[in-house]
Amino acid sequence: KPIKLTNDKEIYSSYSPTWSPEDDWIYFLRSDGYDNCSIWRVRPDGGDISKLNIEVKYRLYSIECSNSGDYFLVSFLDENSHHAIMMLSIDGSEKWLVVGETILYGSKEHPCLSPDDKWVCFRYGYELWIASTRGDDEPYKITDYGSDYGPYGDTSPDWSGDGNWIVFQSQRNDGDGLYKVKVPDEFLP
């Protein structure tokens, strides 16, 4: 039976949970329903729930704790109402854009970190892309839309633990399913 960790009666929702590397915290997002989002944490037993002292002015969609435990990979809605991706230190002292409007115009969604925290894979348009978590390189497309896709394309990527593969969901003309793609050598750990 599932064990309830939060009580959401006074807020709109709690979402996007992510474990810390040591499994001693679960970080998550909370929203009041009016685009006011904040980052929280709770112990796996439901104790010590608290809001992190991090000011974020954007609507947050997802967070993933880095494998080092020092940063969050954050998907958010920017001032132009497009999904963008940033890195944010867990103590709130640093943040930088990984992929935004100046690099790719339009929504960047479903980001995930490589096992070494150097790369992020995300959906842009109908395809999957890889970019540096430093935000200093042009993104690299690893799947191609072509004529094989149905109306939704590739989505929901996740990196394998050894860093060699990315698994993802796709709707293609031959049917929906799960697929995997080999990570190009320049992005291997």
Side-chain angles (χ1 to χ4, degrees), residues 111-178:
C112 66
L113 284 167
S114 64
D116 60 5
D117 294 332
K118 291 182 180 179
W119 309 102
V120 58
C121 181
F122 60 96
R123 173 191 165 130
Y124 172 69
Y126 295 96
E127 296 138 341
L128 297 182
W129 295 68
I130 293 177
S132 165
T133 55
R134 296 179 314 274
D136 58 0
D137 295 327
E138 288 293 318
Y140 179 84
K141 185 168 52 169
I142 61 167
T143 63
D144 192 15
Y145 179 68
S147 62
D148 190 34
Y149 287 81
Y152 300 110
D154 301 334
T155 189
S156 304
D158 192 34
W159 230 288
S160 65
D162 63 8
N164 287 303
W165 295 92
I166 293 174
V167 66
F168 59 98
Q169 173 189 348
S170 187
Q171 184 179 53
R172 296 173 182 255
N173 290 331
D174 65 354
D176 295 353
L178 298 180

Side-chain angles (χ1 to χ4, degrees), residues 8-188:
D8 293 346
K9 289 183 180 178
E10 288 93 32
I11 61 163
Y12 182 72
S13 66
S14 294
Y15 58 100
S16 190
T18 182
W19 289 93
S20 66
E22 298 82 24
D23 295 338
D24 56 345
W25 288 106
I26 299 168
Y27 296 101
F28 62 99
L29 300 175
R30 274 194 160 170
S31 170
D32 66 4
Y34 299 101
D35 290 340
N36 295 319
C37 299
S38 52
I39 301 172
W40 289 67
R41 68 183 183 178
V42 64
R43 295 283 185 191
D45 66 1
D48 295 332
I49 188 167
S50 61
K51 179 180 175 183
L52 298 183
N53 190 23
I54 299 175
E55 290 296 321
V56 182
K57 65 179 181 176
Y58 303 109
R59 171 76 169 131
L60 305 179
Y61 282 90
S62 68
I63 61 170
E64 179 182 343
C65 192
S66 67
N67 297 297
S68 70
D70 298 325
Y71 295 94
F72 294 119
L73 176 67
V74 181
S75 170
F76 67 99
L77 197 64
D78 69 14
E79 56 274 349
N80 297 317
S81 297
H82 292 116
H83 289 266
I85 302 167
M86 74 173 148
M87 293 296 290
L88 175 65
S89 64
I90 287 184
D91 65 7
S93 64
E94 297 178 81
K95 66 179 174 183
W96 65 90
L97 196 60
V98 173
V99 184
E101 293 309 298
T102 59
I103 299 172
L104 294 174
Y105 182 78
S107 291
K108 282 70 65 186
E109 302 169 306
H110 307 283
C112 66
L113 284 167
S114 64
D116 60 5
D117 294 332
K118 291 182 180 179
W119 309 102
V120 58
C121 181
F122 60 96
R123 173 191 165 130
Y124 172 69
Y126 295 96
E127 296 138 341
L128 297 182
W129 295 68
I130 293 177
S132 165
T133 55
R134 296 179 314 274
D136 58 0
D137 295 327
E138 288 293 318
Y140 179 84
K141 185 168 52 169
I142 61 167
T143 63
D144 192 15
Y145 179 68
S147 62
D148 190 34
Y149 287 81
Y152 300 110
D154 301 334
T155 189
S156 304
D158 192 34
W159 230 288
S160 65
D162 63 8
N164 287 303
W165 295 92
I166 293 174
V167 66
F168 59 98
Q169 173 189 348
S170 187
Q171 184 179 53
R172 296 173 182 255
N173 290 331
D174 65 354
D176 295 353
L178 298 180
Y179 294 80
K180 69 178 183 177
V181 62
K182 180 77 172 86
V183 173
D185 289 345
E186 60 266 34
F187 306 111
L188 294 175

